[in-house]
């Protein structure tokens, strides 16, 4: 028989912790860049670099998630085909 996989959901506390951690890390980095004793163009460059790094990290996480979900869909289709073949197979049928 087919078993439906349990969809794992993050708890609200874990989600909140992840959002808070991201906010603290981004804020601390921004404060650190702002307080650097250097020219404004160096601080601006570092700020743009941090923003680029953040967007790249989000994109990478999305691509990895999408690839994993696509793999689950392919596995489910293959499992359904196998179950159909097994259901239709009659070992006592004459050849």
């Amino acid at each position: 028989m087919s078993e439906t996989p349990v969809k794992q959901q993050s708890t609200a506390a874990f989600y909140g912790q992840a959002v808070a951690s991201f906010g603290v890390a981004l804020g601390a980095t921004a404060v650190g860049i702002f307080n650097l004793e250097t020219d404004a163009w160096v601080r601006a460059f570092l700020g743009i670099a941090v923003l680029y790094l953040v967007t790249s990290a989000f994109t990478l996480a999305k691509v990895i998630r999408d690839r994993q979900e696509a793999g689950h869909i392919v596995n489910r289709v293959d499992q359904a085909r196998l179950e159909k073949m097994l259901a239709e197979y009659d070992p006592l049928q004459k050849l």
Side-chain angles (χ1 to χ4, degrees), residues 6-40:
V6 177
K7 187 170 184 170
Q8 297 178 355
Q9 292 285 337
S10 298
T11 63
F14 180 75
Y15 179 78
Q17 178 190 6
V19 170
S21 175
F22 174 76
V24 168
L26 192 59
T29 304
V31 168
I33 290 172
F34 181 75
N35 288 326
L36 279 176
E37 294 180 10
T38 186
D39 294 336

Side-chain angles (χ1 to χ4, degrees), residues 86 88-94:
L86 290 174
E88 293 174 350
Y89 177 70
D90 184 7
L92 302 175
Q93 179 184 14
K94 292 186 179 183

Side-chain angles (χ1 to χ4, degrees), residues 34-56:
F34 181 75
N35 288 326
L36 279 176
E37 294 180 10
T38 186
D39 294 336
W41 71 269
V42 174
R43 289 193 303 263
F45 176 79
L46 291 174
I48 294 297
V50 167
L51 291 177
Y52 181 61
L53 179 63
V54 167
T55 58
S56 296

Side-chain angles (χ1 to χ4, degrees), residues 76-90:
R76 289 180 66 196
V77 169
D78 289 342
Q79 182 66 29
R81 287 180 183 157
L82 177 63
E83 287 179 6
K84 181 182 177 190
M85 285 176 27
L86 290 174
E88 293 174 350
Y89 177 70
D90 184 7

